[in-house]
Every structure is written in C-alpha cells, then in structure tokens.
Amino acid sequence: MIEIIGPLLRSADAANLGSSTQKPAPLQKQLIERLQQAILTGRLPAGSLLPSSRLLAVEMGVSRNTVVIAYEHLAAVGYVIADQQGTRVNPLSGSSVRDGEMTGQAVAPEVAYATRVGQFAATRTHADNTFPLTPGMPALDRFPLTAWRRALERSMEHALPLALGYGEPTGEPALRDAIAAHLRMARGVRCEGAQVVITEGAQEALNLCVRLFTNPGDTAWVEDPGYRGAKAAFNLGDLRMLPVPVDAEGMAVAPDAWLAHPPKLIYTSPAHQYPTGAVLSVARRLALIEQARRSGAWLIEDDYDGEFRHTGEPIASMQGLVDDAPVLYVGSFSKTMFPALRIGFVVLPRAVAGRTAVALQEMLRGGHRLEQLALARFIESGEFGRHLGRMRRLYRERQQALRDALAAHFAPAQILGGDCGMHLTLRLPPALDDRTLVERARAEGLNPRALSSFALHPGPATNGLVIGYGNTAAEQLAPAVHTLASLARDMSRKEARSQSASKVRTRRLR
C-alpha cells in the first residue's frame, strides 16, 4: 500500500529536508488525503479491497486507531464501503477511472457564463484608492475616531448580547429613525423611519431598487456620463439601458424618449451629477416627476455628495418637491463617514414601504447591528453634523487649491462642477486620450479617473479627467497636477511628432 499512496511525512522528516518553517499535517489527515487521492486518480480502482486496519497501521508506521479513524472518515464521505468482507473502494461516477485504468487527462468542458458577466469591465483596483487624486474618497485622516469609538462602546454596553443575533431585515429602528430625522431637516426629504431600508452601501440600495421594481428586459435610463454603480446594478437585473446625455442643467431627456423608450427606472443624481457636477434644474426635476407618474416609472434619486455643498444654500432633494413623488431616494455614509462602514439606505414611498414589507422580510437579513446602533448614536448626539461642517470647510480649501493648480498648469482649463462634492472634472482636447493619460498617471502614483470610462458611448465630449481632492492634502495637489500636466505635454509632443511624420510619408508617396 505504501507504494500506492506514498509514505507519510513526519516532523523529523521535514526537519531533515530543511523545511523548518511549516510543520507537516497530522498523520491522520495525511493518510485520509493520500487515500482519497489514490481513489480519485484510479491508483485504487473501484472494488479494491483495502488492507485491514492492523496491517495498514504496521505498514505505514502509525497507530491502528489512526487507520480506523481514516477508514471511518472515508466511509462517511462515500469513498469506501465497509462490511463483513472488509473495506472496499466505492465506485465513483465522477472519477477519472474506467475499467480500473486511467483515461488520461480529462478535458474540462467550456464554462457557460451568464451574459451579464461579459458586460462588466474592470475600472478600478483596490490599491488605486490609496493614491492621491482619487475621486470619491473622503478625508480618512480627519475622521473623528475618538467620537466614533465612544459611540461603538456605548452601543456595546447597552445592546450586548442581544445585538449579536439577527436584527430586523430592514435595519435597526433607531438608525432608521435617526436617518429619517436627519434627511427631513438637512435634505428636505419627506419620510418617516418606517420608510427607510438599511442596505450594505448605496450599491446594494440600487440593487434592491432593481429587484423590487423591474423585470428582466425592462428599460432603465442612466445619465451619460454617469455613475458606474448604477450601470452595474442595471446589468445585474438584465435591464436594457438607455444613455441620457447630461448638460449644464443635468439630465437632458429628449422629448420623444418617453414614447420611443418608455422606462421602468430612471437613475439620476440631481444635487451633484457624477461625474460632471451639474445640478438638475427645478424645471427638469418637476418634468421628470410628472412624466414618471404618467408612464408608471420610478426615479432613483442618488443624493451623491449632496451634503457637501460649497456655494450658497444646500439644494433640497427632488423627493421632497411634491407629495408622493415616484422617487426612490438612495444614499450612503461612504463619503460622509468612511467607505468601510458599508451602510447605505433607500427611502421608499409610504405606500411602497407597506406593500413590499413581506418581500423585504424574505429578501434581506439584519446585520451589522452594533455599527448601525453606533451610527444612530453618532447622528443623534450631533457628532455627525459637526463632522459634516468640518469636512465642508476642509473640502472647500482643498478644492480651491486644486483649482489654482489646474489654472496654473492646464491653462486654459475647462473645469466642470465644483459647487458640491470632493472632485472636479477637467475636459481634455480630443487628441489627448484620457485613458492613456490615466494609465501613465497611475504609474506615477496618481489616481484620477478617465471621464470616458463613465460613459456608455465615449466620444470627444466625454474626454477628460475626474480629479478627486477629498483624501489628498492641499499641499500635495499642486505637485500632483504638475505631474499630470507634464505627462499630458509629453503625450501631446509625441502625438505632434507622429502626425508630422505621417504628413512627410504622405508627401513622399505623392
């Protein structure tokens, strides 16, 4: 048998081989794995009678109890059959053995993936998010960790051990009420806590909207360029997407679109369109609400960066403009707190919240209870509001530093946005490919995004850079923009030389 399954490795053997960093597995585990592999590869064909536990123990140099336990494990899983005649190898329908002989290397069948898998494209990596100029990343080093730790500790003091169990699927009532109170006061949202559903970030809130209100094949409208997470959610729901262009007044719906491509869902970020920074005008907001009512569509209002208004008064939500608006209001705490918190929410209309209660109970599972309870305390204590105030002042300073740097190094610079948020968008001339520039910037340790990567149909109008300043210190912005400008000039010179050489070749051919 030792010729078939091989000898077992002991600690002394490993030391002699110079492998002192990793101890061998227990002998019992090794024996089980060797026997399993011998059966799966056909070295022990179906029907083979294994040695008695006493004989195998002597041959392998282990205790009989070790072999007995190994045989019992193999029998429990179905590798062998133990009866009065002994222990025999069980025929395995999926094994590579036929008539007791190896059939050679099996050819794996081609994997059939869902169509939607091919619709996703890689746009980011985890490591990129630590680089300067990353959009959508808040100032992590300015988060009030002491206050947050205190909120967590108080939640544990009052909620444990009950908070270790499952919570309400739609979220902790204390957090739902706290969010509703904050939204009523700060964002003009008309809601009560019962309408708020807690999710694992804004992405899960978008996925939930898709699951509740659409069927595969329905049409969804998305801003173009626009938030990639919305497109991912719609792809996941097998929806047909219609890109809607964005101008200075936000989402610009063509007059005939409602009849030609009637939507079931419409995604918009009215307070601060991502990534252009446009604000959806009141006239367009009211028109969207009215047309959505007529056609039975739902508007997803993503209040992206709405808390960080830098000029004038905060812009109230679209949801609160009229009574019973067909609006699903989505938000998260990834930008206002920190991304790893993974707490978002969707505010459902009152009638919808009641109608979908049973479905939500079955679709969701309560979790992150301590974090939810701590966040409720953080909001109710006023710490959340004070933190937002500090971050608004900080981001205004950093945005001005970025504007000054862009004006100095990219003059004349066409800058989009700036009234809200943590990023600016810089338009680039068509000859300067934004994706190539981003790749070269990443090699220099910088992480702006290519504006064209946010578009369903990239073109000259979507060629640019989305430059974040939230998690980049003001003193880092000028050197970073200088590096970007140097890379852009180098690309422009190479393009000019290439065009010049092409013209010379053309003249010679003539």
Side-chain angles (χ1 to χ4, degrees):
M1 181 63 69
I2 198 168
E3 291 81 4
I4 297 176
I5 66 174
L8 303 182
L9 184 63
R10 291 165 171 79
S11 299
D13 300 329
N16 293 333
L17 292 173
S19 178
S20 58
T21 59
Q22 187 175 3
K23 294 182 179 180
L27 297 176
Q28 178 180 297
K29 188 174 189 302
Q30 290 186 52
L31 182 58
I32 292 172
E33 291 177 347
R34 301 286 178 84
L35 289 168
Q36 287 178 170
Q37 285 302 311
I39 293 170
L40 289 173
T41 57
R43 295 196 303 273
L44 285 174
S48 298
L49 184 65
L50 300 184
S52 69
S53 58
R54 190 183 305 277
L55 288 176
L56 185 58
V58 172
E59 183 177 358
M60 303 302 297
V62 298
S63 70
R64 183 185 179 193
N65 192 49
T66 297
V67 179
V68 169
I69 293 175
Y71 279 5
E72 288 177 347
H73 176 86
L74 293 174
V77 180
Y79 284 96
V80 299
I81 301 172
D83 53 27
Q84 293 180 347
Q85 297 177 352
T87 302
R88 290 174 288 107
V89 176
N90 195 18
L92 304 178
S93 61
S95 72
S96 59
V97 183
R98 295 203 182 272
D99 299 327
E101 297 182 358
M102 294 292 292
T103 59
Q105 183 67 38
V107 179
E110 184 177 353
V111 178
Y113 295 101
T115 303
R116 68 178 71 90
V117 173
Q119 296 173 340
F120 294 97
T123 57
R124 71 196 78 184
T125 66
H126 173 71
D128 294 345
N129 293 329
T130 63
F131 293 170
L133 307 187
T134 299
M137 186 62 65
L140 301 180
D141 61 337
R142 299 298 185 93
F143 182 74
L145 282 172
T146 300
W148 177 243
R149 187 182 299 113
R150 186 164 55 246
L152 281 170
E153 290 171 352
R154 289 179 179 174
S155 296
M156 287 189 284
E157 289 172 4
H158 292 87
L160 291 177
L162 292 177
L164 298 180
Y166 288 112
E168 290 195 21
T170 50
E172 293 300 304
L175 179 57
R176 297 167 70 192
D177 289 341
I179 289 174
H182 172 75
L183 293 178
R184 287 195 301 270
M185 179 181 67
R187 309 298 303 128
V189 176
R190 306 186 190 193
C191 68
E192 301 295 333
Q195 297 170 243
V196 178
V197 178
I198 305 300
T199 62
E200 191 166 337
Q203 188 64 48
E204 184 59 29
L206 294 173
N207 293 341
L208 183 61
C209 291
V210 170
R211 293 199 299 269
L212 287 176
F213 297 99
T214 68
N215 294 308
D218 286 343
T219 297
W221 292 359
V222 291
E223 298 167 330
D224 196 48
Y227 178 49
R228 292 181 294 226
K231 298 166 189 173
F234 294 161
N235 275 333
L236 199 62
D238 295 321
L239 306 183
R240 292 194 298 265
M241 276 185 282
L242 177 73
V244 179
V246 175
D247 60 21
E249 292 186 58
M251 196 176 205
V253 179
D256 62 343
W258 292 97
L259 290 176
H261 307 282
K264 194 65 177 178
L265 281 181
I266 303 170
Y267 173 86
T268 182
S269 46
H272 182 236
Q273 201 277 330
Y274 189 74
T276 69
V279 176
L280 188 64
S281 66
V282 173
R284 289 188 181 179
R285 294 182 187 215
L286 292 173
L288 275 175
I289 291 172
E290 180 59 27
Q291 291 284 8
R293 274 180 171 164
R294 290 180 182 176
S295 64
W298 291 96
L299 295 160
I300 298 179
E301 178 181 6
D302 188 347
D303 195 21
Y304 184 82
D305 280 350
E307 298 280 9
F308 298 129
R309 179 77 178 167
H310 303 316
T311 59
E313 291 297 313
I315 297 175
S317 69
M318 183 167 64
Q319 189 263 14
L321 276 178
V322 298
D323 290 331
D324 299 321
V327 174
L328 312 169
Y329 182 91
V330 167
S332 84
F333 294 90
S334 295
K335 309 298 184 290
T336 54
M337 295 280 284
F338 52 92
L341 184 59
R342 304 310 304 140
I343 293 180
F345 58 88
V346 56
V347 179
L348 301 174
R350 187 173 288 104
V352 169
R355 177 68 179 82
T356 59
V358 173
L360 291 172
Q361 290 283 331
E362 295 300 314
M363 293 167 61
L364 305 177
R365 293 291 181 270
H368 303 290
R369 297 187 67 188
L370 288 173
E371 291 87 348
Q372 290 189 33
L373 293 169
L375 181 55
R377 287 180 178 273
F378 198 77
I379 295 172
E380 292 165 352
S381 68
E383 289 289 352
F384 182 63
R386 288 189 286 274
H387 174 59
L388 290 179
R390 291 190 294 266
M391 291 302 98
R392 289 188 192 102
R393 292 189 291 273
L394 177 68
Y395 295 151
R396 278 197 292 269
E397 294 170 1
R398 291 183 174 181
Q399 184 192 114
Q400 188 58 53
L402 178 57
R403 283 185 177 277
D404 293 343
L406 290 174
H409 296 290
F410 279 92
Q414 185 181 358
I415 300 173
L416 305 179
D419 293 335
C420 273
M422 300 180 292
H423 77 272
L424 293 174
T425 297
L426 173 70
R427 286 200 185 278
L428 295 174
L432 195 61
D433 182 69
D434 59 358
R435 295 180 189 244
T436 302
L437 181 55
V438 162
E439 289 177 4
R440 298 188 178 186
R442 194 171 292 126
E444 298 294 328
L446 303 176
N447 192 36
R449 305 283 195 211
L451 178 60
S452 62
S453 69
F454 294 89
L456 282 175
H457 302 297
T462 59
N463 191 58
L465 296 178
V466 183
I467 306 174
Y469 53 81
N471 199 35
T472 305
E475 58 270 19
Q476 290 182 283
L477 291 167
V481 172
H482 178 267
T483 299
L484 279 181
S486 298
L487 294 172
R489 285 193 297 270
D490 182 60
M491 287 177 59
S492 297
R493 285 194 293 266
K494 288 181 179 179
E495 178 64 22
R497 286 197 296 268
S498 175
Q499 291 181 358
S500 177
S502 177
K503 289 179 181 178
V504 170
R505 287 194 297 270
T506 300
R507 286 196 298 268
R508 287 175 178 174
L509 290 174
R510 290 176 180 175

